[in-house]
Amino acid sequence: MKNANVNVKTIVTKINYQKDWIGSQKWIAPFCFGFSLAMTTAALVLLAVRGFEDMRGEWLFSIGADVFCMAVCTMLCFSATLNLKGQNADTHVFVTLLTNTTLALFTDELSWLVQGNAQLRFVNIVVNVLFYIMGSALVYLFWKYIRRALRLHDRAMKIADLFVTVMLYPSMLLSLINFFYPLFFSVDENGVYQRAAQWDVSQVYLSITLTVVIIAISFAKASVKDRIVAISFIAIPLLNQALTANCFGLSTQYSAMTVSVVLIYGVLFADREKALANTELELNFGTKIQANMLPNSFPFMPERTEFDLYASMTPAREVGGDFYDFFMVDDRHLALVMADVSGKGIPAALFMTAAKILIKNRVMTGESPGQVLRNVNDQICESRQEEMFVTVWLGILDLMTGSLLFANAGHECPIFKTPGGDFELIKDKHSFVVGGMKGMRYRESVWHLAPDSKLFLYTDGVPEAENDTETQYGFERFLGVLNKNRDAAPRELLDAVSADVKRFTKDQPQFDDLTMLCIHYRGKKI
């Protein structure tokens, strides 16, 4: 039963983590900035090498607009790298859109630099093929960003997204045909670019995607301001095309798209970043509240010589639901609690708070661990609105005799060390989770702790921590660190495990809280 409970929570946590994978890749924004900067620099260098001889005025205007807009995209990418903590998937889709725009502008500039040069005819063909491919990619990325920015996630939008994605591939393949057959354009023997009779075919994907975008925006549950900003990406390039349609040499459609992208950045993206900053502040505040609710004054009761105890919680980025607790029930009995709420965020933290208070109040009435969990489970099931549960290990230690009465509600197996022995995983008997179903009974067990024994409690964030190859930390490594430091004090043991988990995971984002508690039972001195 325990394994099933833990696996469900683990799967849900990993799914949420995988969804946020792109948002955790901090290299994306710096890479996009570096790439855009390289393209902008290359554009200036190539322009200087080519020179301005025999270059028509409208070509110069197009090239100037391209280089200027490339610089704008580069600066926007740079601004995205300044706030590493505030980056998320929206940020990275946006900088990817910017980078694709920079590359499209670069191909447009390069097409005019080689225009009319017979020796560079093949280069002209290659550049223009890339020009058309970048156009399709740019429209596709714009759709992706608008879908995220306006939160278009219902079933109809998922079908639309699949359709836009599938149609992207034939659009790009048609662009590649121009290497062999002048479908969209031709470059004559003098190196001069001209549109082909089937040029309208190149606009099919653009028309399809923009139609989908217009329909999506019309049904989006967004403000009028957000809709207007989103539609500007369509309106401004179309207006530009209408004004320059009969002016060969003026190819400023990508520059017009850049204007739209800047507008999107100034309204949708900036507002989103502001909201994210406020959310980050609230989460940090919630994390502080959560941490302050846990006992963190150490050493705990230094006047008591029967035991030494230490606990810690290293929270993941989001506010989590892990918690530990320890308190004296009376002068003789010490209560120990280790728990893990399903889910993340503020709801999990609130659920954790309620569960922690209910458990302590019940223990203080003199109920046994099994009775406590049964009553708390019924209380939670009666009042809960969210589909959440909590795994709990609850024990009451008699400091005079070393007798430990405990119950395990679907939580991880504790780790135990006998005097002079090694740390071992104790596969105790488990009951169902707390908050899962009303009327559950919780099995109780008894251990006897001899003087110089140690008990180590933890949540699944420790053994299930993953490195960059998605390999879990695991119990073998976990027990190895504990046994390597078997004679260390509880605080030193927790520090050793934390340091080893950090070495193992390296720079991987922490997707679950790391919560641990260790008690060294010395026994009553006579």
Side-chain angles (χ1 to χ4, degrees):
M1 182 68 70
K2 177 260 178 188
N3 289 336
N5 298 333
V6 173
N7 288 340
V8 169
K9 186 180 77 65
T10 301
I11 291 170
V12 171
T13 302
K14 287 187 175 181
I15 289 174
N16 291 334
Y17 169 68
Q18 292 298 331
K19 284 183 178 179
D20 194 50
W21 180 87
I22 187 173
S24 66
Q25 305 307 302
K26 301 303 182 185
W27 56 268
I28 294 178
F31 173 81
C32 288
F33 164 66
F35 185 81
S36 297
L37 180 61
M39 288 294 97
T40 305
T41 304
L44 292 170
V45 171
L46 290 173
L47 179 60
V49 172
R50 165 63 170 80
F52 301 98
E53 296 180 2
D54 302 325
M55 192 174 289
R56 295 166 55 178
E58 55 267 33
W59 298 4
L60 286 173
F61 181 83
S62 297
I63 291 173
D66 289 338
V67 174
F68 174 78
C69 291
M70 289 174 70
V72 170
C73 291
T74 301
M75 292 305 298
L76 291 179
C77 283
F78 176 70
S79 68
T81 66
L82 298 179
N83 182 17
L84 291 177
K85 289 186 177 180
Q87 289 185 25
N88 59 11
D90 288 357
T91 309
H92 297 148
V93 171
F94 182 74
V95 295
T96 304
L97 174 62
L98 285 174
T99 306
N100 191 91
T101 304
T102 305
L103 189 54
L105 290 163
F106 180 74
T107 60
D108 185 62
E109 183 218 26
L110 195 56
S111 69
W112 293 117
L113 294 181
V114 299
Q115 177 74 347
N117 190 325
Q119 294 179 341
L120 297 177
R121 179 178 177 274
F122 181 72
V123 174
N124 200 340
I125 294 174
V126 172
V127 169
N128 277 286
V129 168
L130 290 176
F131 176 88
Y132 283 98
I133 289 176
M134 288 300 102
S136 298
L138 185 57
V139 172
Y140 173 75
L141 288 172
F142 166 72
W143 156 252
K144 283 292 187 181
Y145 181 71
I146 288 299
R147 185 167 178 251
R148 296 190 68 91
L150 299 185
R151 298 298 186 254
L152 305 174
H153 298 314
D154 58 23
R155 185 176 180 182
M157 290 302 102
K158 290 180 180 179
I159 295 174
D161 181 59
L162 178 62
F163 178 68
V164 171
T165 303
V166 170
M167 291 301 295
L168 174 66
Y169 297 102
S171 175
M172 290 187 167
L173 288 174
L174 288 174
S175 298
L176 293 174
I177 290 176
N178 290 272
F179 278 124
F180 314 102
Y181 177 79
L183 182 65
F184 298 162
F185 67 90
S186 64
V187 178
D188 62 23
E189 295 178 355
N190 296 319
V192 176
Y193 164 90
Q194 293 178 340
R195 288 180 181 177
Q198 296 82 15
W199 176 83
D200 290 342
V201 177
S202 68
Q203 304 301 299
V204 172
Y205 182 71
L206 171 66
S207 302
I208 290 174
T209 305
L210 293 187
T211 301
V212 172
V213 170
I214 291 173
I215 295 173
I217 292 175
S218 64
F219 286 98
K221 296 178 180 179
S223 66
V224 175
K225 179 190 69 173
D226 289 350
R227 294 186 188 190
I228 293 174
V229 171
I231 210 72
S232 72
F233 192 89
I234 303 170
I236 294 177
L238 287 180
L239 178 61
N240 171 81
Q241 187 169 357
L243 294 174
T244 62
N246 298 320
C247 301
F248 181 76
L250 283 179
S251 57
T252 53
Q253 60 267 44
Y254 289 157
S255 299
M257 289 180 179
T258 305
V259 173
S260 301
V261 169
V262 172
L263 185 59
I264 291 173
Y265 175 81
V267 180
L268 292 184
F269 185 74
D271 287 350
R272 183 82 56 193
E273 287 295 290
K274 182 179 179 181
L276 287 171
N278 291 335
T279 302
E280 187 79 18
L281 184 63
E282 292 176 2
L283 288 175
N284 290 336
F285 185 64
T287 301
K288 290 180 181 179
I289 293 176
Q290 180 185 7
N292 289 335
M293 287 200 63
L294 304 180
N296 53 16
S297 179
F298 298 102
F300 174 62
M301 302 189 72
E303 70 278 7
R304 302 296 297 251
T305 60
E306 302 100 316
F307 67 91
D308 180 22
L309 182 151
Y310 188 75
S312 69
M313 185 191 72
T314 304
R317 185 183 177 191
E318 293 186 71
V319 178
D322 282 15
F323 70 92
Y324 63 81
D325 203 1
F326 50 84
F327 50 90
M328 295 298 299
V329 182
D330 52 41
D331 189 58
R332 177 170 173 167
H333 295 91
L334 171 67
L336 303 169
V337 184
M338 181 61 64
D340 188 357
V341 175
S342 63
K344 295 290 178 187
I346 300 297
L350 294 176
F351 192 91
M352 176 274 290
T353 302
K356 180 178 178 296
I357 293 173
L358 289 174
I359 290 172
K360 184 171 183 178
N361 288 344
R362 285 289 179 178
V363 171
M364 294 305 292
T365 64
E367 293 179 351
S368 68
Q371 292 172 325
V372 169
L373 296 181
R374 180 180 180 181
N375 290 325
V376 170
N377 175 70
D378 289 344
Q379 285 180 276
I380 290 177
C381 288
E382 286 177 359
S383 59
R384 73 169 183 166
Q385 296 181 349
E386 300 289 340
E387 294 297 322
M388 302 182 74
F389 60 86
V390 56
T391 65
V392 184
W393 190 97
L394 170 63
I396 298 177
L397 176 63
D398 187 331
L399 297 175
M400 292 290 292
T401 65
S403 177
L404 177 66
L405 179 64
F406 66 93
N408 191 332
H411 196 71
E412 298 292 322
C413 297
I415 297 174
F416 184 63
K417 176 188 174 299
T418 57
D422 290 337
F423 280 97
E424 295 180 4
L425 191 67
I426 305 299
K427 295 185 177 180
D428 55 351
K429 296 180 180 179
H430 296 75
S431 302
F432 199 60
V433 298
V434 172
M437 185 184 301
K438 190 176 179 179
M440 297 301 300
R441 294 179 179 274
Y442 293 86
R443 186 184 295 108
E444 293 182 340
S445 301
V446 179
W447 287 346
H448 180 75
L449 272 64
D452 202 30
S453 297
K454 289 178 181 176
L455 176 67
F456 198 101
L457 306 173
Y458 56 94
T459 57
D460 58 5
V462 180
E464 294 180 3
E466 292 186 351
N467 60 15
D468 54 0
T469 63
E470 297 186 0
T471 302
Q472 291 190 347
Y473 184 71
F475 284 102
E476 183 177 353
R477 188 177 183 117
F478 191 5
L479 291 172
V481 174
L482 290 175
N483 286 318
K484 186 177 179 180
N485 300 272
R486 63 172 63 86
D487 297 325
R491 181 166 192 163
E492 295 171 348
L493 267 175
L494 266 64
D495 288 344
V497 173
S498 296
D500 195 61
V501 170
K502 188 174 182 179
R503 281 192 296 269
F504 177 79
T505 57
K506 296 180 182 178
D507 296 328
Q508 284 298 104
Q510 181 184 327
F511 73 88
D512 204 356
D513 299 337
L514 302 179
T515 308
M516 299 175 284
L517 182 152
C518 180
I519 180 171
H520 178 196
Y521 177 67
R522 299 193 186 102
K524 183 68 175 179
K525 293 184 178 179
I526 303 177

